[in-house]
Amino acid sequence: MDWLYPFAVLIGSIITLMGLGLPVAFAFFATNILGALLYFGGTRGITQMVANFNDAVATYALAPLPMFLVMGSLYFRSGLGEKVIHALDLAIGNLRGRLSYVVLSAGAIFAALSGSSLANAGMMGSLMAPEMLKRKYKPHMAYGPILGAGSLAVIIPPSALGVLLGSLAQIDVGALLIAGVLPGLLLVSMYAVLIWVQTRIDPEAAPQYPVPQVTGREKLKAVLVNIIPMGFLVFMVVGTIILGIATPTESAGLGCAGVVLLLMVYRKFSFAVLWKSLDDAMKVTAMTFLIISASMTFSQIFAFSGASNGFIQYITGFDLGPHGIVLMMVVTVLILGMFMDQVSMMLITLPLFMPIASQYGFDTVWLGLILLLAYEVGFTTPPFGMLLFVVLGVAEPGTSLKTIAMSALPYVLLTLLLIVIIMIFPQLALFLPSLI
Amino acid sequence: AEDVIEAVHFTPTQVGFAQSFLRFVDRVNERGKGVVQINVRGGPEVVPNPQLGTAQQSGLIDMMNAPAGLYLEIVPEGEVFSASGIKPWEARENGGWDAIDKIYQEKGNAKLLAHVDAGAGFWLWTVDEPKLTEDGMLDFSKLVIRASPLYKQFFESLGAQMIVQPAGDVYTSLERGVINANAYPSIGYKAFGWDKFTRYRVEPGFFHLDVLISMNLDKWNSLSDESKKILNEVAIEYERESYDAIAKEDQESRAAMEAEGMKIVEMTGAGRDKFLAEAAKASWDRMKDRDPTHVEELRKLFP
Amino acid sequence: MTTFFDIVGRVSWLLAVVAKLLIGLLILFVVSDVVARNLGMRALTWAISASEYSLLYLTFLSMPWLVRNKGHVFVVFLRGLLPPAGRALLEKLMYIACIVLCLYLGWIAATSLSVAVAKGTYETRTFDMPKWAVFLPIMLGFGLSALEWLRFLLTPVSMYDINPTEMEGM
Ligand code: NA
Ligand code: NA
């Protein structure tokens, strides 16, 4: 149990400092300094941490976040977003919680075209959250679907995280990606049912507001005039990926260019709006990236100290039979996911999980998908949950992390339920891969 | 007392390069019982690749298994390992090894132990069947290749388009046609699933794997003579052994993909020679740009 | 003292303006790279590394402005358990902790920067980037953030009472 001491010190420090009200990034900084002094080469480790900031955030894979935030913010601040929502209101009519469904389905479609949860949540959050709150949706009805749809991006292919998992765990990447399709769709349906239940329990969570009765012709006109620009934007973001014009990372930039073009066509462009959008994007990005830079070193010190390996070996060391061991793996990932990013978690856990998997003779595609879902949960669990931070950044000023995390909770529980379903019915994951 | 060495490797544990390093570690630990022990702390989850060079230089880690190409900013001369086809044991004989080791000691505060896994190199993989020009060189004008700093200038000089992108994007980019070629060793290529899209491999290969096992110099100097002796012995043995092992693995990985229908396109004649000459030239030119001091000497020792 | 912190605020604001411009530049880099490539022109490979460094700069250049505007996310589950007097003390302690952290990490960044200048070290991406330029925004970000935290310590403003209007930019 050598691992228990560093484990307790590092996790204890982060939780205590955060709970006392130190900003999340600074709580990580302080814990890292403590961890470096104790386990990671002393001041040399701290110097390394500072050098680390560059590697943590100066990476192209993170570029979509600020760009999607600019895009969403431009759309919303220029007033185009409001028109689209108005058109949706006219088209959908009086379905309670309709904007929540819209977020969920738009998010799912975007998930099927992009591979980044961060980008998905950033875009849906900045596009839709302000309008929903304006229409008096309770926070959980607005943020919940955004977080849910955001985390879908890694399950529904394409998925950069899925590709990484496949290559790190030596799982057939193509099979793993395809395996995510059915569970992804099931998850979307479960989320939709959740929204329905939530509006049933508390109808005021998504208040109805009068939607003018209009003729079919007017409805059509509103949809054409307002949804078409949205369609153009969708093309700029995802059409360009499908046609091989841009990579998933680059398409965010095209989305920004697309909105600017739209605004010019609709004569709504102004430098003031553009500047405001850059301001919005700067705030969220800088806050999120500072936490990323701080938490990355935390993962390293955690691994270097032997805490993570010891912990994983301890948890998976119980002889609990095949299902028990998979559950323990999931639990391990859920606990680590509270403090670590997905890539660090994969690097740390897979070398220990995969030998166990082959010992039990698990189907690696099946296990890979279960793990992918478990890693995904980490996106929305506090205290370190990237999507929580992004959504917090686009939320109304004064919103607390707790509010956002509570909005995510039912979605997290449904994801866990899906993991159990896949454990019981492996065919859900394995049917599509078996066809190729 | 027993010497303890804290070590880090550059790939995740389950990947071949780390496994190869762990075999070296096992050998040292077995022979070094009571004298010297290597304690492996982990891979990129412990020290990310871009920081390995400085982590060893500062003594944060004692030993590392990492390609010279990862920290050329500290030791630009490390590029000789990928540019030259000379075998590690030949370099030890002709004095090249001592010369480059001296440079690593000066610039990187590092003692080189071994150039391992040297028996393989990089290949170019393409989605469409590439055409040859009249002199037998590949027609690079239609190729859009995922770039790494290592070979970006080289392919650009041959007329290809280069795109820099994260490894996670490559699968989707190949699927969607944003890139139509990829340069990578054969080992581990299938693990990324890229072989589904790139159905052609181009002969000849280019560059050589430049994976080194090295130690922080101060730590090395602090070791007992007996420990140094054991480390050196195992290093020399393992250098050769891993050369053959990776050559075999390279062979088998390519054969496995060919068995699944991958085709080979071979450059010929003058064009082939030019391709190989350009590859070497790109490396030497860059070395000269960064620090010309030792280039002439190294050129003789690493033909 | 107010004048002093006003000046600090102006500098923080200025760095945040640079950060915003960098986001705009990032978008321009990415779009021109895609356009150039699809028009069959040379892809601007340098633009990728330039984008990456923009991300580093924007993170640390806007850090002090975010401190001033309470833009760094926090939770308070243990703080909430304390009586008001305890909370007030704790608040001061948190500011001091942040000042110490910022000064210490800023100092480490400054040391790394001066070593990088002395040795002339650089990073190799699609172009060679001098290392001092990597440490520069980190040093500035932490250094100025220390002053912004000092403002919370020495003046009546509090991080924990978020006033929605304060979140708006200048
Ligand atoms: Na996806
Ligand atoms: Na989390």
Side-chain angles (χ1 to χ4, degrees):
Chain A
M1 298 283 268
D2 284 345
W3 60 273
L4 193 58
Y5 175 57
F7 185 92
V9 168
L10 292 171
I11 300 280
S13 160
I14 197 80
I15 292 182
T16 311
L17 292 175
M18 241 184 252
L20 291 175
L22 210 56
V24 175
F26 292 82
F28 271 109
F29 287 139
T31 304
N32 293 344
I33 290 174
L34 178 71
L37 290 175
L38 290 174
Y39 316 111
F40 196 56
T43 51
R44 279 179 304 207
I46 299 170
T47 308
Q48 193 76 33
M49 164 167 100
V50 172
N52 203 1
F53 296 153
N54 179 40
D55 299 313
V57 297
T59 143
Y60 203 50
L62 288 177
L65 180 67
M67 297 195 282
F68 274 126
L69 288 168
V70 170
M71 179 183 122
S73 180
L74 266 178
Y75 208 70
F76 157 68
R77 290 201 179 270
S78 65
L80 271 186
E82 195 169 5
K83 292 197 156 179
V84 169
I85 289 188
H86 182 66
L88 287 171
D89 283 340
L90 290 184
I92 302 175
N94 267 323
L95 176 65
R96 191 173 280 276
R98 58 185 167 273
L99 293 182
S100 302
Y101 294 110
V102 167
V103 168
L104 179 62
S105 42
I109 293 169
F110 190 55
L113 296 156
S114 97
S116 162
S117 288
L118 214 56
N120 201 339
M123 182 165 89
M124 294 313 297
S126 53
L127 273 178
M128 295 293 287
E131 293 294 340
M132 293 170 86
L133 295 173
K134 217 160 149 187
R135 285 168 171 75
K136 300 276 182 289
Y137 274 55
K138 286 197 182 158
H140 68 273
M141 296 307 290
Y143 305 136
I146 292 167
L147 291 160
S151 49
L152 277 173
V154 299
I155 299 300
I156 302 179
S159 158
L161 212 58
V163 169
L164 187 66
L165 173 65
S167 50
L168 283 177
Q170 322 266 323
I171 301 172
D172 179 346
V173 173
L176 181 61
L177 292 180
I178 296 287
V181 173
L182 290 182
L185 291 176
L186 180 59
L187 200 54
V188 176
S189 336
M190 286 159 75
Y191 289 168
V193 172
L194 172 67
I195 294 173
W196 183 80
V197 171
Q198 283 174 326
T199 53
R200 268 301 161 116
I201 296 173
D202 176 13
E204 283 319 298
Q208 290 294 55
Y209 46 89
V211 174
Q213 287 288 332
V214 294
T215 63
R217 197 193 182 90
E218 282 171 306
K219 208 181 259 188
L220 188 67
K221 190 182 163 216
V223 168
L224 284 181
V225 171
N226 293 302
I227 307 278
I228 281 178
M230 192 69 180
F232 171 71
L233 207 55
V234 170
F235 170 79
M236 288 300 277
V237 176
V238 296
T240 52
I241 305 178
I242 294 174
L243 295 178
I245 296 171
T247 66
T249 307
E250 294 165 338
S251 69
L254 295 183
C256 290
V259 184
V260 171
L261 276 179
L262 272 184
L263 294 184
M264 293 192 164
V265 169
Y266 283 71
R267 299 185 181 282
K268 280 182 180 295
F269 181 84
S270 78
F271 281 100
V273 168
L274 180 63
W275 192 244
K276 199 74 204 109
S277 306
L278 290 175
D279 188 62
D280 291 341
M282 179 269 288
K283 282 177 183 157
V284 184
T285 309
M287 179 258 286
T288 314
F289 284 9
L290 193 69
I291 297 173
I292 291 178
S293 67
S295 72
M296 200 164 163
T297 310
F298 177 82
S299 306
Q300 286 160 26
I301 295 173
F302 202 67
F304 194 88
S305 72
S308 50
N309 272 9
F311 170 65
I312 298 167
Q313 276 163 350
Y314 176 75
I315 294 257
T316 52
F318 298 105
D319 188 10
L320 297 167
H323 275 149
I325 201 77
V326 174
L327 274 180
M328 287 323 246
M329 287 182 189
V330 171
V331 168
T332 308
V333 172
L334 294 183
I335 293 175
L336 293 178
M338 291 160 67
F339 307 97
M340 279 184 200
D341 66 286
Q342 278 64 20
V343 175
S344 299
M345 271 196 286
M346 283 187 187
L347 287 172
I348 287 171
T349 55
L350 291 174
L352 295 158
F353 286 173
M354 295 324 280
I356 298 177
S358 72
Q359 189 186 320
Y360 279 91
F362 291 144
D363 185 308
T364 52
V365 173
W366 170 78
L367 181 68
L369 190 73
I370 288 175
L371 290 177
L372 193 58
L373 282 162
Y375 293 127
E376 181 216 285
V377 168
F379 273 126
T380 48
T381 54
F384 177 80
M386 294 270 290
L387 296 192
L388 299 179
F389 301 142
V390 171
V391 170
L392 186 67
V394 299
E396 273 190 332
T399 309
S400 73
L401 188 63
K402 190 176 160 199
T403 308
I404 311 272
M406 290 309 284
S407 314
L409 186 61
Y411 290 83
V412 165
L413 294 177
L414 286 182
T415 309
L416 297 181
L417 177 63
L418 180 67
I419 290 179
V420 174
I421 294 176
I422 294 175
M423 283 173 70
I424 300 172
F425 305 104
Q427 278 309 310
L428 190 61
L430 298 179
F431 173 67
L432 287 183
S434 73
L435 298 180
I436 55 170
Chain B
E2 194 182 62
D3 286 314
V4 178
I5 298 170
E6 305 287 344
V8 172
H9 44 79
F10 76 105
T11 64
T13 311
Q14 63 275 31
V15 175
F17 293 108
Q19 289 296 322
S20 168
F21 176 64
L22 294 177
R23 281 193 290 276
F24 165 83
V25 170
D26 286 345
R27 184 86 51 94
V28 171
N29 287 352
E30 193 184 304
R31 212 171 293 177
K33 274 200 186 98
V35 182
V36 59
Q37 291 292 302
I38 301 174
N39 181 18
V40 179
R41 290 294 189 143
E45 74 278 13
V46 172
V47 181
N49 281 337
Q51 288 174 38
L52 279 169
T54 42
Q56 185 182 59
Q57 196 175 25
S58 75
L60 183 62
I61 48 174
D62 301 329
M63 177 186 276
M64 72 176 178
N65 160 245
L70 270 183
Y71 52 113
L72 292 176
E73 75 279 11
I74 298 177
V75 191
E77 289 82 357
E79 208 152 358
V80 296
F81 293 108
S82 57
S84 163
I86 186 173
K87 295 184 172 59
W89 51 92
E90 292 168 359
R92 283 185 194 267
E93 268 168 30
N94 76 359
W97 179 257
D98 289 334
I100 191 80
D101 180 34
K102 196 161 153 264
I103 297 173
Y104 268 84
Q105 298 199 16
E106 274 168 24
K107 293 192 172 179
N109 192 31
K111 164 75 189 160
L112 292 188
L113 287 180
H115 175 196
V116 291
D117 307 330
F122 285 76
W123 304 96
L124 183 67
W125 316 77
T126 66
V127 174
D128 308 307
E129 183 170 2
K131 300 271 175 294
L132 295 184
T133 57
E134 271 174 25
D135 64 352
M137 162 101 90
L138 207 67
D139 178 5
F140 282 94
S141 65
K142 298 275 184 304
L143 294 187
V144 187
I145 310 175
R146 187 226 170 180
S148 111
L150 186 65
Y151 46 74
K152 180 183 152 279
Q153 282 157 341
F154 163 44
F155 284 117
E156 262 176 354
S157 73
L158 295 173
Q161 288 247 33
M162 305 302 285
I163 300 186
V164 181
Q165 54 181 238
D169 269 5
V170 175
Y171 186 91
T172 310
S173 290
L174 283 170
E175 193 175 31
R176 303 272 168 67
V178 177
I179 55 174
N180 60 18
N182 201 2
Y184 205 78
S186 70
I187 297 138
Y189 194 77
K190 262 178 85 77
F192 290 101
W194 298 333
D195 59 312
K196 274 209 321 220
F197 308 107
T198 53
R199 303 304 293 152
Y200 297 87
R201 182 171 58 78
V202 178
E203 292 268 5
F206 63 98
F207 291 172
H208 302 270
L209 291 179
D210 54 352
V211 183
L212 302 173
I213 298 176
S214 57
M215 280 189 67
N216 172 276
L217 187 59
D218 308 315
K219 179 71 185 184
W220 169 260
N221 289 332
S222 78
L223 296 179
S224 68
D225 288 344
E226 207 183 344
S227 299
K228 286 182 186 167
K229 187 163 160 278
I230 292 171
L231 283 167
N232 264 329
E233 271 173 21
V234 176
I236 290 172
E237 266 172 47
Y238 194 70
E239 194 167 72
R240 192 146 196 159
E241 218 175 289
S242 66
Y243 184 97
D244 296 336
I246 203 136
K248 187 159 164 273
E249 202 185 337
D250 182 29
Q251 175 74 41
E252 284 167 359
S253 313
R254 284 182 282 138
M257 288 185 265
E258 278 152 40
E260 289 166 7
M262 184 176 286
K263 300 267 193 318
I264 291 154
V265 174
E266 189 158 4
M267 291 188 229
T268 52
R272 180 191 177 105
D273 298 340
K274 191 178 162 220
F275 172 78
L276 292 172
E278 283 290 327
K281 186 172 178 294
S283 304
W284 288 105
D285 283 355
R286 191 159 48 182
M287 251 183 280
K288 214 185 242 165
D289 279 351
R290 288 181 173 151
D291 183 359
T293 323
H294 305 286
V295 169
E296 280 319 306
E297 180 200 1
L298 290 172
R299 233 189 234 278
K300 288 188 201 104
L301 295 168
F302 289 87
Chain C
M1 198 163 66
T2 333
T3 331
F4 174 71
F5 287 119
D6 282 349
I7 294 169
V8 169
R10 290 310 284 186
V11 180
S12 302
W13 172 81
L14 204 66
L15 293 188
V17 166
V18 175
K20 282 181 241 183
L21 291 174
L22 282 173
I23 297 181
L25 216 54
L26 168 73
I27 296 169
L28 282 182
F29 282 152
V30 172
V31 173
S32 13
D33 190 30
V34 175
V35 170
R37 189 174 71 230
N38 284 285
L39 292 180
M41 295 188 286
R42 283 259 144 254
L44 313 166
T45 32
W46 59 265
I48 309 276
S49 300
S51 310
E52 293 181 332
Y53 289 119
S54 319
L55 298 178
L56 172 76
Y57 268 73
L58 89 87
T59 302
F60 286 94
L61 290 187
S62 32
M63 183 183 172
W65 185 240
L66 256 64
V67 171
R68 176 171 276 247
N69 291 285
K70 308 166 192 181
H72 290 293
V73 44
F74 58 84
V75 287
V76 289
F77 53 88
L78 293 177
R79 180 184 151 75
L81 304 176
L82 294 177
R87 271 187 235 173
L89 178 67
L90 181 64
E91 184 171 340
K92 297 282 176 211
L93 285 176
M94 290 298 114
Y95 298 149
I96 293 170
C98 287
I99 294 168
V100 171
L101 281 172
C102 286
L103 285 177
Y104 181 55
L105 293 175
W107 177 71
I108 298 263
T111 317
S112 302
L113 185 148
S114 65
V115 170
V117 171
K119 288 191 177 176
T121 46
Y122 52 87
E123 271 195 356
T124 54
R125 294 205 181 177
T126 54
F127 53 81
D128 290 353
M129 171 86 163
K131 272 263 171 73
W132 64 261
V134 167
F135 291 114
L136 181 68
I138 302 176
M139 182 187 78
L140 290 176
F142 279 109
L144 199 57
S145 293
L147 295 180
E148 290 290 0
W149 284 118
L150 190 66
R151 173 173 164 266
F152 281 103
L153 183 69
L154 298 183
T155 67
V157 285
S158 165
M159 175 173 73
Y160 299 100
D161 57 350
I162 292 206
N163 174 357
T165 54
E166 279 181 44
M167 292 291 287
E168 295 296 312
M170 270 173 84

